[in-house]
């Protein structure tokens, strides 16, 4: 069993539930290497706790999980639905409008009592012959009342069958919807790239942790040898101190990689939209992802033709153009067809006398009226809409310039990723050779040291070279995988069956 495995199993230390280390009973002091083993055990316990609680998934499973769960993708899809309803609203401008109204109330009881006073009624007998007798006489009062049940509906319908702003508004809403759909594709591609990047980074970090555990074990064995030699005065305190320093340096690197491992696992969980108590870790070792089959020119052509950022900017430009046309068309008259009809029904006592028999005062009044014909509307706003139309023209030119900027950016991204892809392929082969050479060198240095032909400095240097070669190999594999993932993203190519997964998610969200 290696020293790293001993530390990981806790044979010299006791590890509690949270990874803390306590001294073994009866052991008064701990040597330098034992203290290092304790620290290593704490790191091992922390990493083991993450491994045990995490869900092991493949890259394809991670992409599928992220597409289903990531809230940013859900938010982008809801934006599509918002613009779909805006388009439906614009299309419904073709429908006629209908309105029902009336006086007050449409259906209800109307009660009115009124009194009429006659001061100079010629039919009234005069009781005085004086000139002022008519003026000073008591006026005649007659009270009447109405008590009717009223029904007075009124309906109108109009249809703007010639509206110069309607179709441009529909076209603008359609282009806005197309832009949002394209931006949704951008969100999906970015999500897939981010998941791939996190997945590859976790693979790389886990590989480095494994490599440095082996390097730690080499240093740990070397320290035991040097301690034994130091006791019989075959090596100096300097050689022993160098070995101890090297051991702690390797431990510090392990600490850094473990911290990175925790951060990257949290990032992957966030991008997969996992619950707070669930983590996901790769179930595959770090290896070359896949080859890129297209040439550089083919990749650039595909990116220029298919990149959604370019097409979204062009759609935004078309939206602005149609909005400008709509504003200018608002100065043209609207031709409409108009129809109106009303009914008034009054049933009850009309002009009845209070306190008397009003049987003969009960009446029913019915009135019908209607109208139909053509009309037009024309409005002049002093040039406000014309100014807005000029603003829309400027917006259109800005979006077309942005599309050109996105095109240049797409070409730059493809060239950069393709260059990284080609160089990283060479770097991986070179790093593998360097790693093998570093392994042979440290083994040879240790063998020479064991028979007294080498010194500790050579061993320290070769172990450092082995660690550097491990990092270089891991980074070269990571750069290769990231470059392939970026080529998929920047050329608007869906990896594997991710396109079908996105379409399924769209369907489920509806």
């Amino acid at each position: 069993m290696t020293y790293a495995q001993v530390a990981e199993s806790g044979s010299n230390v006791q590890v509690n539930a949270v990874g803390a280390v306590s001294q073994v009973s009866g052991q008064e002091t701990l040597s330098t290497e034992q203290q290092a083993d304790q620290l290593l055990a704490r790191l091992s316990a922390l990493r083991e706790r993450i491994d045990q609680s995490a869900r092991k998934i493949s890259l394809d499973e991670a992409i599928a999980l992220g597409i289903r769960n990531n809230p940013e993708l859900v938010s982008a899809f809801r934006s599509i639905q918002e613009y779909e309803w805006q388009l439906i609203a614009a299309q419904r401008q073709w429908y006629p409008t209908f309105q029902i109204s009336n006086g007050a109330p449409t259906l209800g009881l109307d009660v009115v009592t009124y009194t009429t006073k006659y001061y100079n009624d010629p039919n009234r007998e005069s009781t005085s012959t004086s000139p002022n007798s008519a003026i000073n006489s008591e006026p005649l009062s007659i009270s009447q009342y109405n008590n009717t049940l009223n029904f007075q509906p009124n309906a109108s319908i109009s249809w703007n069958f010639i509206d110069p702003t309607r179709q441009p508004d529909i076209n603008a809403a359609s282009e806005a919807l197309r832009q949002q759909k394209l931006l949704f594709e951008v969100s999906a591609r970015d999500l897939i790239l981010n998941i791939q990047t996190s997945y590859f980074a976790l693979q790389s970090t886990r590989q480095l942790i494994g490599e440095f555990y082996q390097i730690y074990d080499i240093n740990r064995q070397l320290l035991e040898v040097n301690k034994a030699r130091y006791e019989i005065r075959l090596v100096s305190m300097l050689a022993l101190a160098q070995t101890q320093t090297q051991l702690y340096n390797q431990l510090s690197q392990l600490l850094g990689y473990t911290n990175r491992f925790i951060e990257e696992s949290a990032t992957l969980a966030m991008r997969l939209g996992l619950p707070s108590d669930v983590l996901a870790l790769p179930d595959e070792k770090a290896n070359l992802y896949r080859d890129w089959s297209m040439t550089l020119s083919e990749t650039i052509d595909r990116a220029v033709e298919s990149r959604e950022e370019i097409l979204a900017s062009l759609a935004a430009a078309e939206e602005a153009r149609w909005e400008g046309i709509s504003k200018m068309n608002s100065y043209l008259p609207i031709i409409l067809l108009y129809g109106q009809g009303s009914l008034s029904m009054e049933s009850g006592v009309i002009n009845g006398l209070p306190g008397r028999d009003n049987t003969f005062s009960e009446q029913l009044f019915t009135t019908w009226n209607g109208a139909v014909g053509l009309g037009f509307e024309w409005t002049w706003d002093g040039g406000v809409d014309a100014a807005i139309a000029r603003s829309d023209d400027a917006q259109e030119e800005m979006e077309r310039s942005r599309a050109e900027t996105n095109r240049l950016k797409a070409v730059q991204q493809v060239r950069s990723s393709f260059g990284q892809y080609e160089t990283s392929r060479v770097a991986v082969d070179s790093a593998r050779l360097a790693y093998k050479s570093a392994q042979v060198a440290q083994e040879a240095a240790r063998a020479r040291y064991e028979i007294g032909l080498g010194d500790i400095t050579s061993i320290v240097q070769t172990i450092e070279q082995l660690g550097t070669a491990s990092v270089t190999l891991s980074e070269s594999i990571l750069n290769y995988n990231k470059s392939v993932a970026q080529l998929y993203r920047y050329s608007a190519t869906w990896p594997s069956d991710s396109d079908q997964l996105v379409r399924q998610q769209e369907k489920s969200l509806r």
Side-chain angles (χ1 to χ4, degrees), residues 419-433:
Q420 184 178 356
Y421 165 73
E422 291 188 316
T423 56
S424 60
R425 283 196 303 180
V426 179
V428 169
D429 294 336
S430 174
R432 282 174 173 166
L433 294 175

Side-chain angles (χ1 to χ4, degrees), residues 312-342:
S313 296
L314 294 176
E318 285 297 301
E319 177 191 1
R321 184 175 74 87
W322 283 113
E323 287 179 347
I325 293 174
S326 175
K327 293 300 181 184
M328 293 304 299
N329 286 358
S330 66
Y331 292 106
L332 300 176
I334 297 174
I335 308 299
L336 57 91
L337 179 65
Y338 180 81
Q340 182 270 336
S342 65

Side-chain angles (χ1 to χ4, degrees), residues 255-275:
L255 176 62
Y257 292 132
T258 302
N259 183 59
R260 185 198 298 181
F261 181 80
I262 295 172
E263 292 178 353
E264 289 168 349
S265 62
T267 301
L268 180 61
M270 177 196 68
R271 288 171 174 169
L272 299 185
L274 297 178

Side-chain angles (χ1 to χ4, degrees), residues 2 57 146 331:
T2 66
I57 58 176
N146 293 344
Y331 292 106

